């Protein structure tokens, strides 16, 4: 048994793990079901800590087993704790405001906003959790592209998605 020191008390960590497993799943709504939305959907399906309550995307036909939601009011009624926003950057600000109006925490794909004003406006309006997904920044291929760009060896990056 592994043990941890927590507030000057030794606790068996297996007890904590068991308590976490007993918690309800986190209810998530995905906003945008394009390339990144589908990636999030696939990853969430493989993780038993999350429950996908539905997807909000007015432009894409969803698979039959995915509940299509029309707005955050519906998501809130279904118990959404957080939203994963994977839409074009120019839509982020308005979507984040909608989420906050319905007390929904946010994971936002990068870039978060088009300008600093949107960022500071959101920060000043809320105590909710807003996280920006930066996972591709740590992709080894991105680091290699940065190194190629900085090397000045004549190689030119034409396109990166």
């Amino acid at each position: 048994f592994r043990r941890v020191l927590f507030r000057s008390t030794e606790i068996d960590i297996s007890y904590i793990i068991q308590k976490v497993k007993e918690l309800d799943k986190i209810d998530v709504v995905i906003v945008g079901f394009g390339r990144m939305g589908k990636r999030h959907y696939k990853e969430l399906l493989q993780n038993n800590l999350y429950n996908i309550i539905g997807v909000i995307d007015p432009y894409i036909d969803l698979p039959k087993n995915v509940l299509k939601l029309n707005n955050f009011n519906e998501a809130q009624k279904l118990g959404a704790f957080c939203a994963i926003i994977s839409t074009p950057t120019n839509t982020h600000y308005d979507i984040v405001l909608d989420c906050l109006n319905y007390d929904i925490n946010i994971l936002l794909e990068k870039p978060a906003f088009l300008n600093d004003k949107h960022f500071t406006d959101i920060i000043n309006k809320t105590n909710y959790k807003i996280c920006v997904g930066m996972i591709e920044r740590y992709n080894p291929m991105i680091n290699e592209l940065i190194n190629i760009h900085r090397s000045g060896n004549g190689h030119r990056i034409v396109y990166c998605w």
Side-chain angles (χ1 to χ4, degrees), residues 35-68:
R35 182 173 54 93
M36 289 305 294
K38 288 175 183 158
R39 285 175 114 179
H40 285 294
Y41 180 80
K42 180 182 170 189
E43 291 299 321
L44 291 173
L45 283 179
Q46 296 174 10
N47 190 323
N48 63 0
L49 296 176
Y50 300 95
N51 176 41
I52 303 168
I53 61 169
V55 173
I56 299 173
D57 192 326
Y59 305 108
I60 294 180
D61 292 328
L62 301 175
K64 292 186 184 344
N65 61 335
V66 178
L67 178 62
K68 183 175 182 115

Side-chain angles (χ1 to χ4, degrees), residues 87-107:
T87 60
T89 306
N90 65 324
T91 65
H92 288 181
Y93 180 72
D94 292 330
I95 292 171
V96 167
L97 287 178
D98 281 347
C99 282
L100 297 176
N101 287 333
Y102 287 98
D103 302 328
I104 299 173
N105 297 291
I106 301 160
L107 171 65

